[in-house]
Amino acid sequence: MTASPFAAEDRPRSHHGEYKVPGGKLVVVDFDLVDGVLADVSLSGDFFLEPDEALPAINRALTGLPESTTAAELSAAVTASLSPGAVLFGFSADAVAVTVRRALAKATSWTDHHWNIIAPTVLSTHINVALDEVLTEEVGAGRRHPTLRFWDWEEPSVVIGSFQSVRNELDPDGVARHGMTVVRRISGGGAMFMEAGNCITYSLYLPQTLVDGISFADSYTFLDAWVMAALEKIGVTAFYVPLNDIATDQGKIGGAAQKRLANGGMLHHVTMSYDIDADKMVEVLRIGKEKLSDKGTRSAKKRVDPLRRQTGLARTEIIAAMMEVFTERYAATPSELTAAELTAARDRVTTKFGAEDWLHRVP
């Protein structure tokens, strides 16, 4: 009889998970599930770990944990197993937790989902904001595939964050003089100054399982890895400035915001400056010294460096490059807004996003 090429401890396990840390290394975990608990856990990957003894220590810490263990509890178990001075390079305890949760099918990866992509469609700013809530709910309820949607609009607008004060963020004279439409969105973060063609805005609607175990801060970088690749493709090297600013060595080019719903849906959206009228922006927005205090600049105008100047490309060309990279990476297929979704968004404008009590919920 021919002996098995696998030693007993090397046999294939029943559960396998992988997670590529954004900007880091690949983490792999294999284990069996026996009576609802993790058994024979084996962690591997192209990461760096010191000392060598830390690897079996992590395996022992994970072995015996219930399959219901949360990502936070998994991460804590890994951390507790490490000796003082242990070094994890290219990964983290949180990354191990994500990998285990993926192996248990409690966390998902990009390739676990069928992605749709919706090309820019001119809609009112109120409808665009309402659609963010409607489509996030639809994805959370499983009625729509996870989706990337690019915005388009015509009226000059300011979209303020869910928790911003109208009085503190906007100059009423500037708003009136420039005919700005003011709308409050469901996500936090800062104000978006939006004129037709002056910026690129997109929304990702996804299940929260995609970011299960990933910290709030790290989820921004994780969800925008594809757009960083698209920018690189057109000659722009961009990076995140914590928490939610996107910048290049020439200045800030955009910002991101998120909202997680109780039904499991999640919104992640980004606005990038294409050709901002900085003089008009500072007449409309109140951008105070405190907001600029950690930005390393004295002038609000210098905070935003448009993509038009950095690339020399038309806005439509940049959006096309973004759509192409997203499609290639995640096998996304074209989609359109349904009549039901548009009707729901219009209803939501009437009952919420176009109502004064929502706009002024933070005076």
Side-chain angles (χ1 to χ4, degrees):
M1 179 179 294
T2 303
S4 169
F6 295 101
E9 63 273 17
D10 292 332
R11 62 177 175 76
R13 271 59 164 190
S14 61
H15 288 66
H16 176 87
E18 298 184 4
Y19 174 54
K20 173 64 170 61
V21 179
K25 298 297 184 178
L26 179 67
V27 183
V28 181
V29 69
D30 295 278
F31 57 85
D32 289 321
L33 200 59
V34 179
D35 296 328
V37 301
L38 278 62
D40 297 326
V41 178
S42 176
L43 181 70
S44 61
D46 59 357
F47 50 76
F48 299 91
L49 177 62
E50 296 289 348
D52 284 352
E53 292 75 25
L55 185 62
I58 293 173
N59 290 337
R60 288 193 298 270
L62 295 173
T63 296
L65 293 179
E67 63 177 317
S68 59
T69 304
T70 66
E73 291 167 342
L74 288 165
S75 180
V78 172
T79 300
S81 75
L82 299 173
S83 60
V87 177
L88 286 66
F89 187 71
F91 78 123
S92 64
D94 287 345
V96 176
V98 172
T99 313
V100 172
R101 297 276 292 181
R102 284 189 174 183
L104 290 166
K106 297 180 184 297
T108 56
S109 67
W110 290 93
T111 55
D112 289 326
H113 303 284
H114 178 163
W115 290 88
N116 284 154
I117 185 166
I118 299 176
T121 303
V122 176
L123 299 163
S124 75
T125 306
H126 280 96
I127 292 291
N128 273 310
V129 171
L131 279 169
D132 273 358
E133 183 171 74
V134 169
L135 297 182
T136 304
E137 290 174 354
E138 290 297 288
V139 170
R143 292 187 292 265
R144 167 177 272 281
H145 292 306
T147 299
L148 168 66
R149 179 178 73 92
F150 284 88
W151 292 31
D152 220 338
W153 63 96
E154 290 181 340
E155 74 273 35
S157 307
V158 175
V159 180
I160 62 174
S162 181
F163 309 107
Q164 287 190 295
S165 162
V166 174
R167 178 176 55 238
N168 292 338
E169 299 298 328
L170 300 171
D171 184 311
D173 292 335
V175 168
R177 182 164 59 254
H178 297 296
M180 308 300 293
T181 296
V182 180
V183 188
R184 185 184 296 278
R185 63 180 185 267
I186 62 172
S187 63
M192 300 155 55
F193 176 78
M194 304 169 61
E195 293 184 287
N198 80 343
C199 56
I200 296 169
T201 298
Y202 63 83
S203 297
L204 270 173
Y205 313 105
L206 58 135
Q208 292 173 34
T209 54
L210 186 63
V211 295
D212 183 282
I214 301 174
S215 71
F216 186 85
D218 288 344
S219 69
Y220 281 86
T221 307
F222 173 73
L223 292 175
D224 280 331
W226 66 274
V227 83
M228 299 303 177
L231 291 172
E232 187 75 31
K233 185 175 181 178
I234 59 175
V236 176
T237 300
F239 49 86
Y240 257 94
V241 178
L243 172 67
N244 63 330
D245 282 353
I246 300 172
T248 71
D249 59 3
Q250 299 182 53
K252 176 181 174 179
I253 60 172
Q258 294 181 353
K259 178 67 176 180
R260 306 182 188 210
L261 302 186
N263 77 344
M266 178 175 172
L267 165 67
H268 173 91
H269 51 188
V270 168
T271 292
M272 293 186 179
S273 304
Y274 175 69
D275 194 13
I276 292 286
D277 184 335
D279 290 317
K280 187 182 295 185
M281 180 181 72
V282 297
E283 291 177 10
V284 172
L285 302 182
R286 298 185 190 275
I287 306 177
K289 294 180 180 178
E290 183 64 24
K291 186 171 182 65
L292 296 172
S293 63
D294 65 343
K295 306 298 182 181
T297 179
R298 295 179 182 178
S299 170
K301 298 178 186 179
K302 294 180 181 178
R303 288 196 59 218
V304 179
D305 193 75
L307 286 170
R308 179 180 180 180
R309 188 182 68 79
Q310 291 196 31
T311 66
L313 297 175
R315 177 175 175 268
T316 53
E317 292 179 283
I318 298 174
I319 292 175
M322 291 179 176
M323 293 177 65
E324 181 180 354
V325 169
F326 190 87
T327 299
E328 290 175 349
R329 280 198 168 202
Y330 308 126
T333 57
S335 180
E336 295 181 352
L337 295 166
T338 68
E341 289 166 345
L342 285 167
T343 297
R346 294 187 187 100
D347 291 344
R348 207 70 59 95
V349 171
T350 301
T351 60
K352 181 175 182 176
F353 295 102
E356 288 297 307
D357 58 348
W358 169 255
L359 177 61
H360 294 280
R361 76 184 191 100
V362 181

